[in-house]
Amino acid sequence: MSRRSLELVPTLDDLTYVREHHAVPGRTAVVMTMGALHDGHATLIRTARGHVGRDGFVVVTVFVNPLQFGKGEDLDRYPRTLEADLKIAEQAGADVVFAPAADEVYPGGEPQVRITAGPMGERLEGASRPGHFDGVLTVVAKMLHLTRPDVAFFGQKDAQQLALIRRMVRDLNFGVEIVGVPTVREDDGLALSSRNRYLSPQERRTALALSRALFAGRDRHAAQEALRARAREVPSTRARAEALSAIGESRAAADAHAVAKAVPGGPSAVRAAARLVLDEAARLDPPLVLDYLALVDPDDFTEIDDDFTGEAVLAVAAKVGTTRLIDNVPLTFGAAS
């Protein structure tokens, strides 16, 4: 049986009609976007379709949410490309694009009652963009109620947003599964973003420092993990020091006992490796203007200590010209064994 053709619905009544008049034996998935779709969004939609299967129902929302834009941000400038978005959504496997007007989502104007992101929403992105995550969570909660999915898909590029949505769903008992999808990158490493189109060729070259910094931190972490693993393969003797020296570490760093006790991929070294790339980018023309570089616990987005073990996120935000970009990579700091 061939899949149904894509339908564009602008109102909740239309969405309800489509859902009730299509027999959908499978699960319903939603992918929430602000439009200006690119291959990162298409990947989310394809992942949603693969998750719910042919019998499932995939809804893509296209809504530029005014609540999450602060004073002086690019609400009016944000690209609106609905016709192109519909083609991308259909090719990726969506059944419906729900593209409501602001007064459909917020009848009577901006809502007086909103969801508050709490302390985690005041860190990093929240500190740079006060109230941003309150607006994000309010519209996500609203869209979850309007679309009534079994599962919702969000990109890991917006790591803090994803963590807050997961926390909201858990804390407020939303009956929906949240799935994070890995960041999609261009061939040169730049994370796909609707805002990339604002960059001039020179600005784009500078912007590559974000991903290069993250990869430098990740590579430093991997090298330290390899060093520590090698150190544990040989006895705690002169042979261990010689083995460590042979894989590129200085004799001073090759003390067998110290390496055996070290936390793998020490967070301080990871931060330092990433910072070096960002400092160099600050001297480019045009320069990269750093907002933050952080290595955090994804449970609450607080900075991790050097004795931390478990999942972590190395995150960066910066401006190039007038365009603000964010990116991150996940890391795992393992316990000694």
Side-chain angles (χ1 to χ4, degrees):
M1 185 176 98
S2 61
R3 189 174 58 80
R4 64 185 69 86
S5 60
L6 180 77
E7 295 191 51
L8 170 64
V9 296
T11 70
L12 176 59
D13 287 343
D14 294 330
L15 181 62
T16 301
Y17 177 87
V18 168
R19 184 166 44 220
E20 291 179 351
H21 287 77
H22 285 98
V24 181
R27 305 176 80 204
T28 295
V30 67
V31 175
M32 299 184 196
T33 83
M34 293 203 300
L37 302 189
H38 49 64
D39 195 51
H41 299 108
T43 298
L44 289 171
I45 299 166
R46 288 192 293 267
T47 304
R49 169 55 63 196
H51 190 89
V52 300
R54 181 181 294 273
D55 291 336
F57 193 65
V58 177
V59 180
V60 175
T61 69
V62 173
F63 179 63
V64 182
N65 176 36
L67 297 191
Q68 67 193 70
F69 288 81
K71 185 178 180 181
E73 294 188 335
D74 57 354
L75 173 61
D76 293 333
R77 185 182 172 212
Y78 198 87
R80 275 82 166 172
T81 58
L82 183 59
E83 186 174 347
D85 294 344
L86 295 175
K87 293 178 181 178
I88 292 173
E90 182 169 34
Q91 291 170 358
D95 294 302
V96 168
V97 169
F98 177 45
D103 58 4
E104 179 73 19
V105 179
Y106 304 120
E110 293 189 359
Q112 296 186 40
V113 176
R114 308 184 188 195
I115 291 179
T116 301
M120 182 163 51
E122 297 170 358
R123 299 174 185 133
L124 301 185
E125 283 298 290
S128 298
R129 307 175 67 187
H132 169 69
F133 286 122
D134 293 355
V136 169
L137 294 185
T138 298
V139 78
V140 168
K142 188 115 182 180
M143 289 295 183
L144 289 175
H145 288 313
L146 295 178
T147 60
R148 292 184 287 166
D150 300 293
V151 56
F153 294 80
F154 296 90
Q156 292 177 358
K157 185 179 81 70
D158 297 295
Q160 191 172 3
Q161 171 181 288
L162 175 59
L164 281 162
I165 291 169
R166 282 178 165 151
R167 190 61 182 255
M168 176 185 74
V169 165
R170 183 169 69 247
D171 287 355
L172 301 184
N173 299 99
F174 280 67
V176 61
E177 177 187 358
I178 303 297
V179 176
V181 178
T183 300
V184 178
R185 299 184 180 277
E186 300 193 34
D187 291 342
D188 56 12
L190 187 68
L192 286 179
S193 169
S194 299
R195 290 186 169 94
N196 289 353
R197 67 188 67 197
Y198 300 152
L199 298 169
S200 70
Q202 295 83 359
E203 289 171 341
R204 197 182 184 289
R205 283 194 289 272
T206 296
L208 291 175
L210 273 77
S211 56
R212 286 203 305 265
L214 296 176
F215 297 160
R218 184 184 64 189
D219 290 347
R220 180 59 181 166
H221 174 261
Q224 290 178 312
E225 285 281 353
L227 172 63
R228 186 171 184 275
R230 181 71 178 272
R232 287 160 53 188
E233 289 175 358
V234 295
S236 182
T237 62
R238 181 181 181 84
R240 169 175 272 174
E242 291 172 350
L244 293 170
S245 295
I247 59 172
E249 292 294 315
S250 70
R251 188 58 179 265
D255 176 81
H257 182 73
V259 172
K261 296 295 185 183
V263 175
S268 294
V270 171
R271 291 185 185 96
R275 174 73 68 169
L276 183 62
V277 176
L278 297 170
D279 287 346
E280 291 174 352
R283 296 189 288 271
L284 296 176
D285 182 21
L288 182 141
V289 180
L290 184 64
D291 185 346
Y292 62 77
L293 172 70
L295 185 53
V296 298
D297 182 339
D299 284 342
D300 58 11
F301 270 69
T302 57
E303 289 280 354
I304 63 173
D305 297 324
D306 276 349
D307 60 354
F308 178 87
T309 60
E311 301 296 321
V313 173
L314 180 62
V316 64
K319 267 192 172 183
V320 182
T322 60
T323 303
R324 187 175 184 276
L325 300 170
I326 63 172
D327 200 353
N328 71 85
V329 292
L331 299 173
T332 301
F333 293 84
S337 59

